């Protein structure tokens, strides 16, 4: 079933929309505005997490990379996971690679279909989404691989896709939060002071 509201919002240049408007959830979704950039300087955002709990966007070719700037509102482990393909897509969502970078573009974590990392309160970080392309450092070497390997350097580009066949992949990324609890100090009960 086509979600026409999502399609129109994506095509007309979406913004952060309260999910209550379409009666699907009580939280918020960030919808890609036009086509997001591929580098730190051109990323869309900032997106406040966990207030925003879903990101929707589209990849229009194998060379298309979407990069989002996120801001953590609290210390937590944030997990990003492909949950749904509301529109007809040519490529498989199971092949979507997801990458996390710190504020300077240093690679933190990567995965296929999902990725997660611990972030401090008010920390800026970036989420990259591709259909199988890996980020590169300034030496042209792979910075992160979807298998989880993290190498040195910062994000300066992406691998060339080789043969470019027009595709359309609409993705929906759920943002799940596991708040970290700080243990209380150990106290001695029943110990008197002499």
């Amino acid at each position: 079933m086509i979600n026409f509201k999502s399609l129109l919002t994506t095509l007309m240049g979406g913004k952060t929309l309260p999910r209550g408007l379409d009666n699907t959830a009580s939280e918020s979704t960030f919808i890609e505005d036009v086509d997001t950039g591929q580098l730190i300087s051109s990323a869309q955002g900032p997106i406040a997490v966990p207030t925003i709990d879903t990101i929707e966007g589209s990849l229009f070719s194998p060379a298309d990379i979407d990069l989002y700037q996120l801001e953590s509102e609290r210390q937590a482990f944030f997990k990003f996971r492909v949950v749904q393909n509301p529109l007809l897509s040519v490529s498989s969502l199971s092949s979507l690679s997801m990458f996390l970078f710190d504020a300077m573009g240093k690679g933190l974590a990567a995965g296929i279909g999902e990725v997660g990392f611990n972030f401090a309160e008010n920390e800026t970080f970036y989420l990259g989404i591709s259909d199988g392309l890996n980020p590169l450092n300034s030496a042209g070497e792979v910075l992160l691989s979807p298998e989880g390997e993290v190498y040195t350097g910062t994000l300066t580009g992406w691998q060339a896709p080789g043969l470019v066949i027009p595709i359309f992949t609409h993705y929906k990324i759920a943002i799940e939060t596991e708040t970290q609890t700080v243990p209380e100090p150990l106290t001695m009960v029943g110990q008197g002071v002499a």
Side-chain angles (χ1 to χ4, degrees), residues 70-141:
L70 298 109
E71 304 285 337
S72 60
E73 296 175 307
R74 62 177 166 229
Q75 180 177 346
F77 179 85
F78 292 102
K79 181 177 174 182
F80 303 86
R81 183 173 52 89
V82 177
V83 292
Q84 177 183 354
N85 181 15
L87 299 175
L88 178 64
S89 295
V90 176
S91 69
S92 169
L93 286 177
S94 63
S95 69
L96 288 184
S97 300
M98 298 170 53
F99 304 92
L100 292 172
F101 305 92
D102 71 7
M104 302 304 293
K106 181 181 175 190
L108 299 174
I112 298 173
E114 70 177 46
V115 65
F117 200 79
N118 287 310
F119 292 98
E121 183 175 2
N122 299 319
E123 187 172 354
T124 298
F125 60 101
Y126 294 84
L127 171 67
I129 301 164
S130 81
D131 195 6
L133 301 181
N134 294 327
L136 303 175
N137 62 22
S138 60
E141 302 165 331

Side-chain angles (χ1 to χ4, degrees), residues 6-23:
S6 178
L7 175 62
L8 288 174
T9 304
T10 300
L11 294 176
M12 299 302 286
K15 302 290 181 217
T16 302
L17 301 174
R19 295 302 286 166
L21 292 178
D22 61 5
N23 297 321

Side-chain angles (χ1 to χ4, degrees), residues 4-191:
F4 287 103
K5 180 178 180 183
S6 178
L7 175 62
L8 288 174
T9 304
T10 300
L11 294 176
M12 299 302 286
K15 302 290 181 217
T16 302
L17 301 174
R19 295 302 286 166
L21 292 178
D22 61 5
N23 297 321
T24 59
S26 60
E27 296 297 323
S28 294
T29 295
F30 182 90
I31 299 178
E32 180 182 20
D33 186 6
V34 190
D35 188 28
T36 186
Q38 300 181 1
L39 300 174
I40 300 296
S41 62
S42 59
Q44 281 190 19
I47 301 168
V49 293
T51 297
I52 303 300
D53 68 354
T54 308
I55 297 172
E56 286 190 44
S58 299
L59 298 175
F60 296 100
S61 79
D64 192 8
I65 312 294
D66 288 346
L67 191 66
Y68 298 97
Q69 178 188 356
L70 298 109
E71 304 285 337
S72 60
E73 296 175 307
R74 62 177 166 229
Q75 180 177 346
F77 179 85
F78 292 102
K79 181 177 174 182
F80 303 86
R81 183 173 52 89
V82 177
V83 292
Q84 177 183 354
N85 181 15
L87 299 175
L88 178 64
S89 295
V90 176
S91 69
S92 169
L93 286 177
S94 63
S95 69
L96 288 184
S97 300
M98 298 170 53
F99 304 92
L100 292 172
F101 305 92
D102 71 7
M104 302 304 293
K106 181 181 175 190
L108 299 174
I112 298 173
E114 70 177 46
V115 65
F117 200 79
N118 287 310
F119 292 98
E121 183 175 2
N122 299 319
E123 187 172 354
T124 298
F125 60 101
Y126 294 84
L127 171 67
I129 301 164
S130 81
D131 195 6
L133 301 181
N134 294 327
L136 303 175
N137 62 22
S138 60
E141 302 165 331
V142 172
L143 178 61
L144 288 168
S145 74
E147 293 77 29
E149 289 92 7
V150 179
Y151 301 100
T152 60
T154 58
L155 177 65
T156 59
W158 295 81
Q159 287 178 318
L163 178 63
V164 177
I165 301 168
I167 64 164
F168 177 76
T169 302
H170 185 84
Y171 57 82
K172 185 174 183 178
I173 308 295
I175 304 168
E176 300 167 1
T177 307
E178 295 177 20
T179 303
Q180 300 167 339
T181 58
V182 177
E184 294 186 28
L186 182 63
T187 58
M188 300 294 284
V189 178
Q191 297 290 323

